[in-house]
Amino acid sequence: MHSVLDRALDCVVGALGKTTDPTGVTLHRSPDSGRARLADRAFDFNSAVPSGVRFEMLTDATELELDARLTVVLPLGLPSPGSVFDLVVDGELREPVVATQQSPVFFDPARNSLEAGPDEPATVRFRLGPRARERRVEIWLPVTPAVTLIDVRVPDGASVRPAPASGPLWVHYGSSISQCSDADRPTSTWPAAVARAAGRSLVNLGLGGQCQLDPFMARAVRDLPASAISLELGINVHNADSMRERAFVPALHGFLDTIRDGHPHTPVLIVSPIVCPAAEQRPGPTLVGSDGMVHTVDRPAELAFGALTLARIRELLGRHVEQRREEGDDRLRLIDGTMLFGPDDVADLPDGLHPNAAGYARMAERFLPLSFGSSGAFGRSGGGAGVNSRA
């Protein structure tokens, strides 16, 4: 076996940046410059969780070995089920590959502190098949840990080179609802499942807790050669109580204006928040209780003016998408997020905020026809249709 790390990095799809240090190479789903200026540990971590990031290579190797540090945050005292990788060979999805060696960081809610556990880099092996010809191989990286690549190896004499794109580029921006850390495997996040079913190449910019309409993320979307763009907006603004109505509306328009600077005619689909019972009629911030459930906090009435509930965020998104359409942007559409995951689905919302694996599968099934179906936002007749909502 010999190292092909540099050649493997040329095969990475779905990352926007990377950092290299003596511990290895960390792929990021955000621009390096914007991340450096923000200097936020939570943003850095979620950017390094490679949801949707994968190797897409042509290789005649019979097997591939990957060394990586898998940093996972766990509640104190709880074990991890391991980190799941997916392998696709010539379009065939193989059984998931699970790495049990991880580098845990334990969260103690009583002290609101983090404590590093043992650092155990993992070696993950992928059996590709007999060496007869060059194959298209995709290795989808895990959706729960932050991943630092240490090495990639193939047998001596085997070749590795980038594969052609799997389809036109779909760029999706969103929150933890799109990062999907509770999916049971990397190809089962709802964006990944939709992309594979629609024959699209995915860049998933869903960052847990970090969908705050940051201008540098709008520029990142603007500069990608996307044929379709979707934006899952609103829940993190509520979770963090980071904006009131006065700030949210111009931030929304500024984000869209920046995207339109680079994509004046590309279809853009906005997804409003899915259901979150604790936040529907109450403004944020949201907190996690000792029972693991999300809840909101009371605030004096005199401090509530302009505060955003989820219901109000959906109203504002609908109103301002319609305003832009009236101004001439008929390639902009909106889906009410409760059409993807609504009040009838809360049994699959274990913490009151994040769907479980079954919930994400249902979201994929519902999103696919609304987006890439023949009458969907990205379909052949989708551009001129009106706003999708329950109203």
Side-chain angles (χ1 to χ4, degrees):
M1 302 286 281
H2 68 284
S3 176
V4 291
L5 178 59
D6 290 342
R7 275 183 279 167
L9 290 173
D10 291 337
C11 302
V12 169
V13 178
L16 301 189
K18 65 180 181 181
T19 55
T20 303
D21 60 31
T23 68
V25 179
T26 302
L27 304 171
H28 279 278
R29 295 180 299 121
S30 65
D32 294 336
S33 59
R35 192 174 61 257
R37 291 171 179 170
L38 182 62
D40 181 274
R41 290 179 63 189
F43 189 99
D44 290 351
F45 179 86
N46 285 288
S47 175
V49 173
S51 182
V53 178
R54 66 264 183 211
F55 297 106
E56 293 188 358
M57 60 181 66
L58 297 175
T59 180
D60 59 359
T62 57
E63 61 180 336
L64 181 146
E65 289 183 349
L66 183 152
D67 294 339
R69 179 171 289 100
L70 308 171
T71 303
V72 59
V73 177
L74 298 171
L76 189 65
L78 287 185
S80 169
S83 296
V84 183
F85 295 73
D86 263 330
L87 172 64
V88 182
V89 179
D90 285 337
E92 176 193 354
L93 178 62
R94 302 281 182 86
E95 288 297 311
V97 179
V98 180
T100 56
Q101 289 178 299
Q102 295 177 309
S103 300
V105 175
F106 297 104
F107 173 63
D108 184 349
R111 300 180 179 180
N112 194 28
S113 63
L114 296 172
E115 180 179 342
D119 184 8
E120 298 185 29
T123 295
V124 189
R125 294 178 177 86
F126 302 90
R127 309 298 182 185
L128 308 182
R131 184 173 181 178
R133 58 181 174 81
E134 192 175 60
R135 290 173 283 249
R136 181 187 175 92
V137 172
E138 300 175 13
I139 296 175
W140 291 66
L141 301 178
V143 297
T144 301
V147 176
T148 298
L149 297 171
I150 299 171
D151 199 10
V152 177
R153 294 180 298 277
V154 297
D156 293 342
S159 64
V160 173
R161 62 190 179 98
S166 57
L169 182 62
W170 168 35
V171 176
H172 177 72
Y173 170 74
S175 69
S176 58
I177 306 301
S178 298
Q179 182 168 304
C180 304
S181 292
D182 291 320
D184 54 9
R185 59 192 300 179
T187 56
S188 291
T189 70
W190 72 262
V194 168
R196 284 171 47 80
R200 298 294 178 122
S201 179
L202 171 68
V203 171
N204 183 3
L205 305 181
L207 303 175
Q210 306 304 320
C211 186
Q212 300 287 349
L213 297 171
D214 294 311
F216 68 88
M217 293 302 294
R219 293 193 295 272
V221 176
R222 176 197 66 189
D223 295 341
L224 289 166
S227 65
I229 297 168
S230 53
L231 313 169
E232 176 250 313
L233 304 179
I235 186 63
N236 287 161
V237 170
H238 181 282
N239 292 152
D241 194 26
S242 56
M243 298 182 195
R244 296 199 174 208
E245 188 167 324
R246 170 63 181 82
F248 178 69
V249 170
L252 168 67
H253 283 291
F255 202 89
L256 291 171
D257 288 343
T258 297
I259 291 173
R260 281 291 181 232
D261 286 342
H263 292 278
H265 306 298
T266 302
V268 175
L269 175 60
I270 293 178
V271 181
S272 69
I274 68 169
V275 71
C276 178
E280 292 296 322
Q281 302 298 331
R282 292 168 62 92
T286 55
L287 303 173
V288 180
S290 58
D291 59 356
M293 297 295 292
V294 165
H295 66 277
T296 54
V297 295
D298 291 323
R299 68 172 73 202
E302 58 269 24
L303 298 182
F305 179 76
L308 293 169
T309 65
L310 282 197
R312 182 57 176 164
I313 287 173
R314 292 191 196 99
E315 291 175 6
L316 291 170
L317 290 173
R319 175 190 304 174
H320 290 280
V321 166
E322 191 58 35
Q323 178 182 344
R324 294 181 73 100
R325 287 177 58 82
E326 291 172 355
E327 293 169 354
D329 188 355
D330 65 357
R331 303 290 285 173
L332 176 67
R333 294 184 68 184
L334 179 137
I335 291 176
D336 182 334
T338 61
M339 296 176 67
L340 304 181
F341 195 98
D344 292 340
D345 301 304
V346 294
D348 287 317
L349 203 69
D351 65 353
L353 174 61
H354 300 98
N356 57 19
Y360 286 133
R362 197 174 308 123
M363 288 182 66
E365 292 172 359
R366 294 169 177 173
F367 184 80
L368 182 60
L370 296 173
S371 54
F372 293 103
S374 59
S375 298
F378 307 139
R380 288 169 295 179
S381 60
V387 173
N388 261 322
S389 72
R390 290 187 179 275

